[in-house]
Amino acid sequence: LRLHADIDERGLEWLMRRQGLPVPPTAATGHRVGLLISKSGSGSLFAAAGENAATLAVEEINAEGGIDGRPLELLVGDDATDPATGALEAMRLVRAGCRTVFLMTTSATYVTVSAALRSSEVLLVQTLMNEGGGHDRLRIRLGERPHAQLATAAVPLMRAAGGRRWFLAGNDYIWPRSVNSAARAVLPTYGATLVGERYAPLGTVDFAPIIDAVVASGADIVLNTFVGADAAAFERQCHAMGLRERALSLAPALDESTLERVGSAAAPGIHGISGYFQHLDTAGNDSLVRRYRESFGPWAPPLSTLSECTFEAVHMWTAAARRARTTEPGPVADEMRTGQFDFPRGTVTLDGTDQVHQRMYLAAARGACFGPMQPAGNTG
């Protein structure tokens, strides 16, 4: 087997920055926007698909003439799944001319970046699922919310498990703790019993103590709020230690890219709950997946709610900029905050508050993908 690899200019710049080498700025030719993602660290499993999806959106927008006749330029930063690094990268994107930065990162990075750029007139758009809050005129958080995800999944999952005992396990930072706080409020209203709660730092490799605690609790369902590589490692160890024979898993942030790392043997029993899956059967999604494969090839990482959301966010921002007839952060944010948007996942509604309304789907892992999708009536 012979492997030939090329490093493009963006890849070379990334390598230089990771080595602490200066990267000379380039002159802008159009409207610059930033994308802050986790190219490295435990969140890196879904970063490539997210960058691809944003790149596809920019290409489509530029094929339509861009914004007021000028092209859209996408600059990418790597937070390394670390909030402090994320803040430095976000400031670099702003210095390069980005007045809007899309974040496909952990909530911990979002909070740190938001604080670091508080005195700057920069629009931050968190694209993927989050706990809500922390918004103002120049802070928009899209994606699924924990209360809606849990309300959608609770009853059918307890029916599938044949039990009502839940164990909460996740990484020790804002989003997992917020999801588990929502679980304590939502799940008992559906008759669930909470039997345990444990956390581990990002980058943990040995989850045996937590799995032992799950087994001892007699849980029927594990709410897995680990992310990226941690989520994959946790599920593999659950399978290896025999937990899958005792309990199902609900993993809101375990997407298709992460599921590939879990492996087919450990996948049965894992469930996802989100507004988008790659195998969602809609005409808009069929077209998106086809265009994605045509652009990035059959072996590109799969789309998921964590990556497809960047495609939606860039298109949403562009539609708002065209309506506002400017790319200034304030007017664009005002246009983005209210309205209905038709995307491959279906209709997404922003009502001017912190809430994002969309249909949720509960899906079971089948090898390296999720399916079939079970639509639910409530939106979040």
Side-chain angles (χ1 to χ4, degrees):
L1 179 65
R2 179 175 296 168
L3 175 66
H4 175 77
D6 293 318
I7 301 178
D8 61 12
E9 184 176 355
R10 289 189 300 176
L12 182 59
E13 290 177 354
W14 178 83
L15 287 171
M16 292 174 66
R17 287 195 299 272
R18 290 306 301 270
Q19 294 298 318
L21 300 174
V23 178
T26 57
T29 60
H31 302 286
R32 282 188 166 175
V33 295
L35 175 65
L36 186 62
I37 59 177
S38 302
K39 281 179 170 288
S40 51
S42 57
S44 63
L45 297 189
F46 42 79
E51 183 175 354
N52 287 348
T55 299
L56 178 61
V58 169
E59 291 174 350
E60 293 180 350
I61 290 161
N62 288 339
E64 297 171 351
I67 300 173
D68 61 30
R70 295 178 63 198
L72 197 60
E73 288 186 65
L74 183 70
L75 274 61
V76 180
D78 173 24
D79 81 330
T81 324
D82 173 70
T85 302
L88 294 173
E89 282 288 270
M91 288 187 283
R92 178 183 65 80
L93 293 173
V94 172
R95 288 195 301 271
C98 299
R99 302 289 304 284
T100 294
V101 178
F102 301 96
L103 286 86
M104 182 187 154
T105 66
T106 66
S107 291
T109 290
Y110 170 82
V111 169
T112 302
V113 169
S114 180
L117 298 181
R118 182 59 61 190
S119 61
S120 303
E121 284 291 310
V122 176
L123 171 59
L124 298 184
V125 181
Q126 188 177 22
T127 63
L128 74 177
M129 63 179 67
N130 61 81
E131 70 282 358
H135 68 289
D136 58 28
R137 189 187 185 199
L138 297 183
R139 301 291 184 268
I140 296 178
R141 307 186 81 175
L142 305 175
E144 299 89 341
R145 296 290 194 269
H147 282 78
Q149 290 174 292
L150 294 169
T152 300
V155 171
L157 201 56
M158 287 189 292
R159 188 180 301 122
R164 297 174 174 271
R165 293 166 296 183
W166 292 67
F167 193 103
L168 315 180
N171 286 122
D172 190 7
Y173 77 96
I174 300 168
W175 181 79
R177 287 190 174 274
S178 296
V179 174
N180 290 340
S181 177
R184 290 191 292 272
V186 172
L187 294 179
T189 66
Y190 293 94
T193 300
L194 305 181
V195 296
E197 185 171 346
R198 291 289 184 88
Y199 296 92
L202 283 163
T204 296
V205 294
D206 181 11
F207 297 93
I210 293 178
I211 296 171
D212 286 338
V214 175
V215 173
S217 74
D220 304 299
I221 303 167
V222 178
L223 180 58
N224 170 2
T225 52
F226 295 105
V227 297
D230 288 24
F234 176 74
E235 294 294 353
R236 287 196 302 269
Q237 289 184 35
C238 285
H239 170 71
M241 295 177 65
L243 180 60
R244 193 63 66 238
E245 300 169 5
R246 304 165 180 257
L248 299 181
S249 176
L250 177 65
L254 196 155
D255 73 329
E256 285 85 337
S257 291
T258 308
L259 189 59
E260 288 185 338
R261 272 68 171 186
V262 172
S264 297
I270 298 173
H271 294 74
I273 177 69
S274 67
Y276 176 87
F277 291 94
Q278 181 173 256
H279 288 80
L280 191 60
D281 187 15
T282 67
N285 187 50
D286 290 344
S287 176
L288 171 63
V289 173
R290 183 181 67 254
R291 300 194 310 273
Y292 179 81
R293 293 298 169 194
E294 288 172 351
S295 294
F296 304 106
W299 303 112
L303 289 170
S304 72
T305 193
L306 302 181
S307 53
E308 188 267 352
C309 61
T310 63
F311 175 87
E312 296 180 358
V314 173
H315 272 292
M316 185 185 295
W317 179 88
T318 299
R322 287 170 174 168
R323 287 196 303 270
R325 299 187 177 185
T326 180
T327 58
E328 286 298 308
V332 172
D334 294 342
E335 290 289 340
M336 286 184 69
R337 198 173 301 282
T338 304
Q340 288 190 341
F341 302 86
D342 292 322
F343 291 127
R345 70 176 61 205
T347 300
V348 176
T349 303
L350 278 68
D351 61 7
T353 69
D354 185 44
Q355 297 302 308
V356 179
H357 304 279
Q358 60 183 303
R359 182 178 290 276
M360 295 289 177
Y361 296 87
L362 177 65
R366 299 286 186 269
C369 65
F370 284 102
M373 268 55 75
Q374 301 177 22
N378 65 301
T379 57

